Amino acid sequence: MALLRRLALDREMAGSLQTQIAGQLKKLIQTGELSSGERLPSTRELSNSLQVSRNTVVAAYDMLVGQGYVEAQLRSGFQVCRATQAFRSLPVASKVTRERKQTPSQPGVPVPFRPTQPDVNLFSLQIWNRHRTRVLKRGSCLLHYQSRFPVGLDELRQNVAAYLRDSRGVQCQWHEVAITNGSQQALFLLANLLLKPGQRVYMEDPGYPGARNAWTHAGATVIPLPIDEEGICLPEGDSQCASLMYVTPSHQFPLGTCMSLARRLTLLRAARDAGSWIVEDDYDAEFRYSSSPQPSLQSLDENRRVIYIGSFSKTLFPALRLGYVVLPPPLVDSFAALKSIADDYSPLIDQATLASFLESGAFYAHLRRCRKQYAERQSYFLQLVSRFGLPLRFPITGRGMNLVGMLPGNFNDRVCSDRLRLAGLDVPPLSHYAVGPTPPGLLFGLAAFDNRAIQRGIARMAPVLQGKGMDRSE
Ligand SMILES: Cc1ncc(COP(=O)(O)O)c(C=O)c1O
């Protein structure tokens, strides 16, 4: 059969052999080289000719049947589907070229010292899967549409509310808790719900780019405000204030400052007087090593102007994509309506698994384990930095997953970061997070890297930071 000579497999190519066979046959059908009604070689013939198993050929034919290119004939094998003329008008060539140009990539693992990464290896998938299996045994309800739960399963909202009340002093009823796809979705939905184009948002500078993007995407004007040792500095005598203020009071991102009580009260007063909303992002408050954590800003708020957000990305693992918002009562319904437009609700099986994980206490055991490891990693990193005599100063330590290392004033942090990248390290410059001028510094993530990785990372970093050409004149 002439067709057999036109098919050839490249065994070096990524992807399965059945996909290659199906792809080549599909192209011949699309270009008209195989016409409608034409019989295809039997699975035995094709498997002999291509030196592959018959199962591989059957799987390729099944794929083409599923896509409507080929039809199975009772007792006489497979033939090109009679309706395939229509496919020929498709712009095959341009589609194929587009696919060829984009090389598919695989998910990777973070390299030292990429910030904001938890150590996912400390997380027990075995325990997680046990909870998952248990919730799936309840029956098929989690597999159906459940549009009555746009802001999450009640059992999860109850567990999250209890956790936030106990550990962060958050004032909340469980029905004020909304579950989102990571805290990034909470930021996006809040921006859409609360901001009109041109309205002002106060943000710490340097600050979290994910939040800045959400506000600017909604058309708001972001006003970057400086940070001193007490936290964000509101402009003096500003009668207008802003419609929304975004802050990270427990552990300022990225500098690490903990907002003073006096500054917290000033912020709450300003929000009350101007009728502004405060978004408190409590992204990594669980990780305190040398002192007990301050309660949340929301816990001090008597006027319910604070919207509290948090995430399981740091405490469990980022791919889970589950976060939460505690909403003041007037926003509960409108937030739920918007969330339901966005995606109906967040994945239910993961939500139910997480509820069971929290309920059982496994969450707290995991947190204790992480806290111990992360504290040890921070102190090991600081010991090595000083042993190597690196030109870095760490003003705030003893908490969080990241540390900011300040460089000498004449250094250019972008040049440093670029050179570290060439050495295989991922250490963003402080200026990456800032809108205005900022002293030179680097942001190190330490939580995800064990002592061996830290040791190797520092050994690579030392010659770069101690080398020449790091100053601002570069
Ligand atoms: C300050 C801050 N807020 C929020 C997030 C986002 O977390 P999520 O993964 O829940 O979207 C991050 C992630 O790095 C962060 O650093």
Side-chain angles (χ1 to χ4, degrees):
M1 200 174 195
L3 170 65
L4 294 177
R5 286 194 295 278
R6 276 185 278 164
L7 298 176
L9 295 179
D10 177 355
R11 287 169 202 271
E12 305 284 288
M13 215 164 118
S16 66
L17 293 175
Q18 66 219 43
T19 315
Q20 264 193 63
I21 299 171
Q24 291 184 21
L25 287 170
K26 197 191 303 183
K27 213 187 295 171
L28 294 172
I29 297 170
Q30 285 170 335
T31 52
E33 288 170 76
L34 275 174
S35 43
S36 65
E38 197 169 328
R39 213 172 69 77
L40 295 179
S42 72
T43 51
R44 185 186 303 277
E45 275 177 303
L46 193 50
S47 71
N48 282 342
S49 150
L50 294 175
Q51 297 287 292
V52 294
S53 76
R54 262 178 91 185
N55 282 346
T56 304
V57 177
V58 171
Y61 281 180
D62 280 348
M63 227 181 247
L64 292 170
V65 171
Q67 292 170 9
Y69 285 90
V70 162
E71 53 200 11
Q73 292 294 89
L74 203 60
R75 279 190 287 275
S76 62
F78 293 87
Q79 68 175 37
V80 178
C81 185
R82 277 173 233 282
T84 48
Q85 256 90 352
F87 292 135
R88 286 196 210 122
S89 55
L90 294 175
V92 180
S94 63
K95 191 162 170 253
V96 169
T97 3
R98 214 179 316 127
E99 275 170 8
R100 277 224 189 102
K101 273 190 200 145
Q102 291 171 355
T103 337
S105 52
Q106 296 291 324
V109 292
V111 298
F113 294 100
R114 188 179 174 79
T116 72
Q117 313 293 313
D119 188 346
V120 297
N121 298 315
L122 296 178
F123 184 72
S124 167
L125 277 174
Q126 206 184 358
I127 298 178
W128 180 259
N129 285 337
R130 218 178 292 148
H131 287 276
R132 192 171 186 274
T133 308
R134 203 173 298 155
V135 300
L136 283 172
K137 278 193 186 142
R138 280 188 219 157
S140 63
C141 59
L142 292 176
L143 307 183
H144 289 286
Y145 276 116
Q146 297 287 0
S147 308
R148 283 186 307 117
F149 300 98
V151 283
L153 290 176
D154 292 354
E155 65 206 65
L156 178 57
R157 296 164 75 196
Q158 284 168 333
N159 274 295
V160 170
Y163 164 62
L164 294 178
R165 281 193 297 260
D166 290 350
S167 69
R168 308 292 305 124
V170 173
Q171 323 170 52
C172 63
Q173 308 285 327
W174 69 264
H175 57 84
E176 292 158 359
V177 174
I179 304 298
T180 53
N181 294 333
S183 52
Q184 189 59 41
Q185 188 188 40
L187 293 168
F188 178 78
L189 295 177
L190 290 171
N192 282 278
L193 190 65
L194 303 177
L195 295 171
K196 292 196 184 68
Q199 285 189 323
R200 292 158 25 116
V201 174
Y202 284 163
M203 247 195 90
E204 301 156 332
D205 191 45
Y208 179 51
R212 197 182 300 125
N213 292 342
W215 317 135
T216 50
H217 186 264
T221 305
V222 173
I223 301 176
L225 297 178
I227 301 150
D228 64 15
E229 63 286 352
E230 291 198 63
I232 192 169
C233 303
L234 293 184
E236 291 218 357
D238 178 21
S239 53
Q240 261 188 305
C241 200
S243 306
L244 191 149
M245 302 186 245
Y246 168 83
V247 283
T248 47
S250 304
H251 190 222
Q252 200 278 330
F253 184 90
L255 295 179
T257 321
C258 176
M259 194 184 287
S260 70
L261 180 60
R263 197 59 60 81
R264 288 172 190 237
L265 296 175
T266 306
L267 206 62
L268 291 173
R269 233 176 284 123
R272 180 200 60 197
D273 294 347
S276 320
W277 295 111
I278 297 175
V279 174
E280 174 180 19
D281 184 350
D282 212 18
Y283 66 104
D284 75 350
E286 288 82 1
F287 302 115
R288 282 275 182 153
Y289 316 123
S290 50
S291 56
S292 51
Q294 276 230 17
S296 63
L297 172 67
Q298 198 264 13
S299 69
L300 299 170
D301 177 19
E302 291 171 358
N303 302 290
R304 298 297 308 256
R305 303 305 302 170
V306 178
I307 302 163
Y308 176 93
I309 68 174
S311 175
F312 289 102
S313 290
K314 318 289 179 219
T315 48
L316 298 180
F317 56 100
L320 184 59
R321 305 311 302 139
L322 288 178
Y324 43 85
V325 198
V326 178
L327 295 153
L331 298 182
V332 169
D333 290 343
S334 47
F335 188 90
L338 192 60
K339 168 77 173 148
S340 133
I341 295 169
D343 57 12
D344 222 3
Y345 47 82
S346 300
L348 290 185
I349 299 173
D350 287 337
Q351 286 193 50
T353 307
L354 178 55
S356 164
F357 193 77
L358 282 162
E359 180 91 48
S360 71
F363 175 72
Y364 300 92
H366 174 67
L367 268 189
R368 277 196 297 279
R369 192 160 167 231
C370 292
R371 219 177 266 133
K372 182 168 177 294
Q373 289 288 333
Y374 296 176
E376 284 171 13
R377 288 170 188 185
Q378 240 191 44
S379 66
Y380 185 64
F381 174 83
L382 292 169
Q383 266 174 39
L384 286 193
V385 166
S386 101
R387 200 181 303 156
F388 275 74
L390 298 186
L392 286 164
R393 186 176 57 82
F394 292 89
I396 298 171
T397 58
R399 57 184 95 140
M401 302 163 69
N402 314 316
L403 283 183
V404 161
M406 304 310 297
L407 289 160
N410 62 333
F411 272 45
N412 180 329
D413 58 10
R414 286 193 185 262
V415 172
C416 284
S417 173
D418 288 347
R419 300 226 176 136
L420 290 171
R421 185 174 301 282
L422 293 177
L425 301 171
D426 187 354
V427 190
L430 201 49
S431 51
H432 167 75
Y433 301 96
V435 174
T438 180
L442 296 169
L443 186 62
F444 295 89
L446 303 175
F449 308 103
D450 63 14
N451 285 359
R452 269 186 53 198
I454 291 177
Q455 208 174 21
R456 272 195 244 120
I458 294 218
R460 284 190 194 172
M461 188 159 73
V464 177
L465 292 187
Q466 287 160 341
K468 290 199 168 54
M470 293 298 173
D471 56 29
R472 288 185 179 277
S473 55
E474 279 286 300

